[in-house]
mmCIF file of all heavy atoms in Angstrom:
data_model
loop_
_atom_site.group_PDB
_atom_site.id
_atom_site.type_symbol
_atom_site.label_atom_id
_atom_site.label_comp_id
_atom_site.label_asym_id
_atom_site.label_seq_id
_atom_site.Cartn_x
_atom_site.Cartn_y
_atom_site.Cartn_z
ATOM 1 N N ALA H 80 44.239 49.226 -12.641
ATOM 2 C CA ALA H 80 42.969 49.756 -12.118
ATOM 3 C C ALA H 80 43.168 51.166 -11.559
ATOM 4 O O ALA H 80 42.372 52.073 -11.820
ATOM 5 C CB ALA H 80 42.421 48.826 -11.039
ATOM 6 N N HIS H 81 44.243 51.366 -10.786
ATOM 7 C CA HIS H 81 44.527 52.709 -10.256
ATOM 8 C C HIS H 81 44.691 53.718 -11.406
ATOM 9 O O HIS H 81 44.176 54.837 -11.356
ATOM 10 C CB HIS H 81 45.815 52.713 -9.426
ATOM 11 C CG HIS H 81 45.759 51.851 -8.196
ATOM 12 N ND1 HIS H 81 46.469 50.685 -8.087
ATOM 13 C CD2 HIS H 81 45.079 51.990 -7.032
ATOM 14 C CE1 HIS H 81 46.228 50.146 -6.895
ATOM 15 N NE2 HIS H 81 45.390 50.909 -6.239
ATOM 16 N N ARG H 82 45.425 53.302 -12.458
ATOM 17 C CA ARG H 82 45.676 54.218 -13.587
ATOM 18 C C ARG H 82 44.396 54.519 -14.349
ATOM 19 O O ARG H 82 44.227 55.621 -14.886
ATOM 20 C CB ARG H 82 46.753 53.632 -14.514
ATOM 21 C CG ARG H 82 48.150 53.629 -13.888
ATOM 22 C CD ARG H 82 49.224 53.358 -14.934
ATOM 23 N NE ARG H 82 49.097 52.042 -15.531
ATOM 24 C CZ ARG H 82 49.661 50.933 -15.052
ATOM 25 N NH1 ARG H 82 50.401 50.984 -13.960
ATOM 26 N NH2 ARG H 82 49.500 49.783 -15.664
ATOM 27 N N ALA H 83 43.474 53.537 -14.372
ATOM 28 C CA ALA H 83 42.211 53.746 -15.089
ATOM 29 C C ALA H 83 41.354 54.804 -14.380
ATOM 30 O O ALA H 83 40.708 55.628 -15.031
ATOM 31 C CB ALA H 83 41.454 52.429 -15.210
ATOM 32 N N PHE H 84 41.355 54.798 -13.041
ATOM 33 C CA PHE H 84 40.620 55.844 -12.313
ATOM 34 C C PHE H 84 41.207 57.221 -12.643
ATOM 35 O O PHE H 84 40.472 58.205 -12.808
ATOM 36 C CB PHE H 84 40.666 55.598 -10.803
ATOM 37 C CG PHE H 84 39.724 54.511 -10.334
ATOM 38 C CD1 PHE H 84 40.208 53.333 -9.797
ATOM 39 C CD2 PHE H 84 38.348 54.678 -10.441
ATOM 40 C CE1 PHE H 84 39.341 52.331 -9.372
ATOM 41 C CE2 PHE H 84 37.476 53.677 -10.020
ATOM 42 C CZ PHE H 84 37.979 52.502 -9.479
ATOM 43 N N ALA H 85 42.553 57.291 -12.718
ATOM 44 C CA ALA H 85 43.198 58.567 -13.045
ATOM 45 C C ALA H 85 42.819 59.015 -14.452
ATOM 46 O O ALA H 85 42.550 60.197 -14.691
ATOM 47 C CB ALA H 85 44.715 58.431 -12.910
ATOM 48 N N ALA H 86 42.772 58.060 -15.382
ATOM 49 C CA ALA H 86 42.398 58.392 -16.765
ATOM 50 C C ALA H 86 40.951 58.896 -16.799
ATOM 51 O O ALA H 86 40.631 59.863 -17.500
ATOM 52 C CB ALA H 86 42.563 57.168 -17.664
ATOM 53 N N TYR H 87 40.086 58.234 -16.015
ATOM 54 C CA TYR H 87 38.678 58.661 -15.969
ATOM 55 C C TYR H 87 38.585 60.098 -15.460
ATOM 56 O O TYR H 87 37.842 60.915 -16.001
ATOM 57 C CB TYR H 87 37.871 57.719 -15.069
ATOM 58 C CG TYR H 87 36.379 58.004 -15.109
ATOM 59 C CD1 TYR H 87 35.559 57.415 -16.064
ATOM 60 C CD2 TYR H 87 35.797 58.898 -14.198
ATOM 61 C CE1 TYR H 87 34.205 57.694 -16.121
ATOM 62 C CE2 TYR H 87 34.439 59.182 -14.249
ATOM 63 C CZ TYR H 87 33.650 58.577 -15.211
ATOM 64 O OH TYR H 87 32.308 58.859 -15.260
ATOM 65 N N GLU H 88 39.375 60.415 -14.434
ATOM 66 C CA GLU H 88 39.351 61.790 -13.917
ATOM 67 C C GLU H 88 39.797 62.776 -14.996
ATOM 68 O O GLU H 88 39.248 63.880 -15.098
ATOM 69 C CB GLU H 88 40.239 61.927 -12.675
ATOM 70 C CG GLU H 88 40.094 63.302 -12.032
ATOM 71 C CD GLU H 88 41.155 63.618 -10.985
ATOM 72 O OE1 GLU H 88 42.069 62.799 -10.765
ATOM 73 O OE2 GLU H 88 41.064 64.707 -10.406
ATOM 74 N N ARG H 89 40.776 62.368 -15.812
ATOM 75 C CA ARG H 89 41.281 63.266 -16.865
ATOM 76 C C ARG H 89 40.247 63.529 -17.957
ATOM 77 O O ARG H 89 40.400 64.470 -18.734
ATOM 78 C CB ARG H 89 42.574 62.714 -17.489
ATOM 79 C CG ARG H 89 43.778 62.793 -16.573
ATOM 80 C CD ARG H 89 45.097 62.666 -17.354
ATOM 81 N NE ARG H 89 45.202 61.453 -18.139
ATOM 82 C CZ ARG H 89 45.566 60.262 -17.659
ATOM 83 N NH1 ARG H 89 45.856 60.130 -16.382
ATOM 84 N NH2 ARG H 89 45.638 59.225 -18.447
ATOM 85 N N THR H 90 39.197 62.718 -18.031
ATOM 86 C CA THR H 90 38.131 63.014 -18.999
ATOM 87 C C THR H 90 37.379 64.276 -18.593
ATOM 88 O O THR H 90 36.671 64.865 -19.397
ATOM 89 C CB THR H 90 37.080 61.875 -19.082
ATOM 90 O OG1 THR H 90 36.376 61.789 -17.836
ATOM 91 C CG2 THR H 90 37.713 60.541 -19.427
ATOM 92 N N GLY H 91 37.544 64.673 -17.327
ATOM 93 C CA GLY H 91 36.819 65.848 -16.838
ATOM 94 C C GLY H 91 35.494 65.501 -16.189
ATOM 95 O O GLY H 91 34.826 66.369 -15.627
ATOM 96 N N LEU H 92 35.112 64.226 -16.253
ATOM 97 C CA LEU H 92 33.867 63.811 -15.600
ATOM 98 C C LEU H 92 34.076 63.782 -14.089
ATOM 99 O O LEU H 92 35.168 63.492 -13.622
ATOM 100 C CB LEU H 92 33.446 62.418 -16.102
ATOM 101 C CG LEU H 92 32.979 62.361 -17.562
ATOM 102 C CD1 LEU H 92 32.863 60.913 -18.032
ATOM 103 C CD2 LEU H 92 31.638 63.088 -17.711
ATOM 104 N N PRO H 93 33.012 64.102 -13.319
ATOM 105 C CA PRO H 93 33.180 64.145 -11.860
ATOM 106 C C PRO H 93 33.397 62.754 -11.260
ATOM 107 O O PRO H 93 32.655 61.821 -11.553
ATOM 108 C CB PRO H 93 31.865 64.765 -11.367
ATOM 109 C CG PRO H 93 30.893 64.635 -12.478
ATOM 110 C CD PRO H 93 31.668 64.524 -13.754
ATOM 111 N N LEU H 94 34.442 62.654 -10.447
ATOM 112 C CA LEU H 94 34.818 61.377 -9.826
ATOM 113 C C LEU H 94 35.266 61.632 -8.396
ATOM 114 O O LEU H 94 35.977 62.596 -8.121
ATOM 115 C CB LEU H 94 35.982 60.741 -10.603
ATOM 116 C CG LEU H 94 36.642 59.515 -9.941
ATOM 117 C CD1 LEU H 94 35.732 58.291 -10.057
ATOM 118 C CD2 LEU H 94 38.003 59.219 -10.563
ATOM 119 N N ARG H 95 34.830 60.788 -7.486
ATOM 120 C CA ARG H 95 35.388 60.780 -6.140
ATOM 121 C C ARG H 95 35.736 59.339 -5.798
ATOM 122 O O ARG H 95 35.036 58.411 -6.204
ATOM 123 C CB ARG H 95 34.371 61.314 -5.109
ATOM 124 C CG ARG H 95 33.983 62.759 -5.308
ATOM 125 C CD ARG H 95 35.156 63.725 -5.204
ATOM 126 N NE ARG H 95 35.770 63.725 -3.888
ATOM 127 C CZ ARG H 95 35.469 64.555 -2.897
ATOM 128 N NH1 ARG H 95 34.552 65.481 -3.084
ATOM 129 N NH2 ARG H 95 36.085 64.482 -1.749
ATOM 130 N N VAL H 96 36.837 59.175 -5.070
ATOM 131 C CA VAL H 96 37.256 57.842 -4.635
ATOM 132 C C VAL H 96 37.168 57.773 -3.118
ATOM 133 O O VAL H 96 37.734 58.625 -2.419
ATOM 134 C CB VAL H 96 38.697 57.523 -5.103
ATOM 135 C CG1 VAL H 96 39.144 56.172 -4.564
ATOM 136 C CG2 VAL H 96 38.786 57.550 -6.626
ATOM 137 N N LEU H 97 36.424 56.804 -2.631
ATOM 138 C CA LEU H 97 36.324 56.547 -1.194
ATOM 139 C C LEU H 97 37.035 55.227 -0.970
ATOM 140 O O LEU H 97 36.551 54.184 -1.419
ATOM 141 C CB LEU H 97 34.852 56.432 -0.763
ATOM 142 C CG LEU H 97 33.865 57.428 -1.380
ATOM 143 C CD1 LEU H 97 32.428 57.090 -0.950
ATOM 144 C CD2 LEU H 97 34.209 58.843 -0.944
ATOM 145 N N THR H 98 38.204 55.247 -0.351
ATOM 146 C CA THR H 98 38.968 53.997 -0.279
ATOM 147 C C THR H 98 39.159 53.510 1.144
ATOM 148 O O THR H 98 39.354 54.305 2.068
ATOM 149 C CB THR H 98 40.323 54.118 -1.009
ATOM 150 O OG1 THR H 98 40.927 52.815 -1.062
ATOM 151 C CG2 THR H 98 41.272 55.092 -0.304
ATOM 152 N N GLN H 99 39.088 52.188 1.267
ATOM 153 C CA GLN H 99 39.404 51.538 2.537
ATOM 154 C C GLN H 99 40.902 51.246 2.607
ATOM 155 O O GLN H 99 41.396 50.815 3.636
ATOM 156 C CB GLN H 99 38.632 50.223 2.653
ATOM 157 C CG GLN H 99 37.126 50.390 2.652
ATOM 158 C CD GLN H 99 36.417 49.044 2.667
ATOM 159 O OE1 GLN H 99 36.292 48.381 1.648
ATOM 160 N NE2 GLN H 99 35.968 48.635 3.824
#
Side-chain angles (χ1 to χ4, degrees):
H81 297 110
R82 290 193 297 271
F84 283 114
Y87 187 88
E88 187 193 3
R89 289 198 303 278
T90 66
L92 291 168
L94 170 74
R95 296 299 297 266
V96 176
L97 319 175
T98 188
Q99 298 176 281

